[in-house]
Amino acid sequence: MHNVDADGGSVFFQQQLDLRGEPNQHVSLHVQIMFRIVMTRIQDKWKSYRHRFVPWIALNLRKNERTIRQVTERSKDRLASDEVVLETLLHLFRALLRNDVAHQEEVLRLLPASTQTRYLSPETTEGPDIGEPKGEHGPIETMFLTVGFCIERKPSSLPFAGTGVFVTRGFVPKGATVAMYPGTIYQAYEPILFQSIWNPFVFRCIDHVLIDGNDKGISKIVYRSCSGRDRLGPFRLSDITWLTANTENPLAVGQYVNNCSNERAANVCYQEYDVPEAFPLELRQYLPNVNYRHDTQRPLRCVVLVALRDIRPGEELFSNYFTIVH
């Protein structure tokens, strides 16, 4: 038992308080630091995400009127005819297949002899495939040699906008098909709740069809599952490589095209395109879209990005996330 006077006891008691309080101060400081780190990360994430968050864009429309695309009537919403879009896709996809013949033997073996000749002949001197590259090239090089330009994903020039899409080589003429928006196609009545949570890549068409262009998480799993389900023997009816870093169809990066701003006007616009039933079976492997349900009674929906003006190498692609059709 310790006998201390009042002053000594007071000093001893105060020392106990200081010793007990010191760890609490360290814990409090640690919590504050962690809180600031978490909030900074959330803030940085939001600055990137908000450019794809529809409610935020809607609330800021008045501040950014140049980011809205105004169309006087529905017929004028299409810059390129379906025939022109189809011609571009066939032209590029045939070139991609021709340059991947070594991995297409099983597919080509099941095609008619006349179709095999189109891809196996060393030279093409006439017909719609003039200008297709001969020999083996990568997809991006094949795109450049076929359509005269190529696009790639790179860090966006917009602050906090994350990844963007740039014309890296060549010249894009007005009206050209520049990119495609990949993903799983959902009709208006099909479930997409869980896939849409914190998902900035859900594209809504004018007829309420949705395209989930997210290449991660549950969206990625759903797309892979649907693509595998629809396969016909050696024939893949959709492209799954856009989910990876090595995309076989270099057009399939449209989901990374950022929204324009008052300072950066749009140079491309979205255009809906339904794939015709007669689309060549061997070329469907390059279509970066798949229906959520295998028994959907509508043509496969694709969305292409079309150049609003001439686009030069080095320029980043910008679109209008909102199109108002009067």
Side-chain angles (χ1 to χ4, degrees):
M1 183 174 180
H2 298 279
N3 293 318
V4 293
D5 59 15
D7 292 338
S10 175
V11 172
F12 178 73
F13 184 65
Q14 184 64 41
Q15 289 175 342
Q16 285 184 313
L17 286 177
D18 292 340
L19 289 174
R20 291 175 181 175
E22 187 174 349
N24 291 335
Q25 291 175 2
H26 285 301
V27 171
S28 177
L29 181 61
H30 179 71
V31 170
Q32 291 180 22
I33 293 174
M34 291 301 297
F35 178 77
R36 289 176 182 175
I37 292 175
V38 171
M39 291 304 298
T40 299
R41 290 180 178 177
I42 292 176
Q43 188 177 24
D44 290 343
K45 197 77 174 178
W46 165 246
K47 287 179 180 178
S48 174
Y49 178 79
R50 66 186 182 182
H51 296 282
R52 300 179 181 275
F53 186 57
V54 173
W56 181 86
I57 296 175
L59 290 173
N60 287 270
L61 286 180
R62 291 184 178 179
K63 300 178 184 177
N64 302 279
E65 291 186 1
R66 289 187 62 188
T67 65
I68 306 173
R69 180 168 174 251
Q70 304 277 356
V71 180
T72 55
E73 56 185 83
R74 189 166 180 175
S75 62
K76 295 184 178 180
D77 189 31
R78 312 178 75 80
L79 267 68
S81 67
D82 286 350
E83 291 74 20
V84 170
V85 173
L86 176 62
E87 182 181 356
T88 299
L89 297 184
L90 292 178
H91 192 45
L92 176 60
F93 292 178
R94 284 173 179 150
L96 292 171
L97 195 152
R98 177 187 289 274
N99 280 272
D100 191 38
V101 166
H103 301 95
Q104 301 285 339
E105 293 181 0
E106 194 174 2
V107 169
L108 294 175
R109 182 170 53 84
L110 299 176
L111 298 177
S114 58
T115 305
Q116 292 184 33
T117 303
R118 174 191 292 273
Y119 301 114
L120 296 175
S121 60
E123 295 291 337
T124 300
T125 58
E126 60 182 2
D129 297 332
I130 292 176
E132 286 187 5
K134 312 302 185 296
E136 293 187 2
H137 301 279
I140 293 178
E141 181 71 12
T142 299
M143 179 180 179
F144 174 69
L145 295 173
T146 304
V147 298
F149 63 88
C150 57
I151 57 174
E152 295 182 62
R153 288 179 291 181
K154 296 169 60 178
S156 176
S157 59
L158 290 177
F160 306 107
T163 301
V165 179
F166 291 77
V167 176
T168 53
R169 296 173 64 189
F171 173 82
V172 182
K174 179 181 178 180
T177 299
V178 186
M180 301 182 71
Y181 199 100
T184 306
I185 309 300
Y186 293 85
Q187 303 302 318
Y189 52 84
E190 292 174 343
I192 192 177
L193 174 62
F194 291 110
Q195 299 92 308
S196 66
I197 296 174
W198 202 249
N199 183 354
F201 297 105
V202 177
F203 182 94
R204 178 170 177 161
C205 298
I206 197 169
D207 57 357
H208 308 296
V209 169
L210 301 176
I211 303 179
D212 182 5
N214 196 349
D215 57 9
K216 298 179 178 62
I218 188 173
S219 300
K220 180 178 181 178
I221 296 172
V222 169
Y223 186 93
R224 281 188 177 274
S225 176
C226 294
S227 180
R229 173 202 67 199
D230 292 348
R231 183 164 182 154
L232 294 176
F235 292 98
R236 290 186 288 118
L237 302 186
S238 56
D239 174 31
I240 62 172
T241 63
W242 68 271
L243 297 169
T244 70
N246 301 312
T247 306
E248 291 182 3
N249 175 6
L251 290 176
V253 293
Q255 78 276 34
Y256 285 106
V257 173
N258 282 305
N259 190 36
C260 62
S261 65
N262 285 333
E263 295 74 31
R264 306 285 185 88
N267 50 20
V268 296
C269 67
Y270 300 102
Q271 181 170 310
E272 299 166 19
Y273 172 73
D274 289 338
V275 179
E277 292 293 330
F279 198 88
L281 184 63
E282 72 274 12
L283 298 182
R284 287 181 177 265
Q285 61 182 300
Y286 299 112
L287 292 172
N289 299 99
V290 63
N291 284 315
Y292 177 71
R293 292 183 56 174
H294 73 281
D295 57 351
T296 301
Q297 300 300 312
R298 301 180 62 175
L300 179 68
R301 171 63 52 82
C302 288
V303 169
V304 298
L305 284 83
V306 179
L308 289 167
R309 59 169 175 80
D310 294 344
I311 306 174
R312 302 191 176 278
E315 288 192 63
E316 181 174 0
L317 301 183
F318 293 108
S319 62
N320 299 97
Y321 282 4
F322 274 88
T323 297
I324 300 177
V325 181
H326 296 278

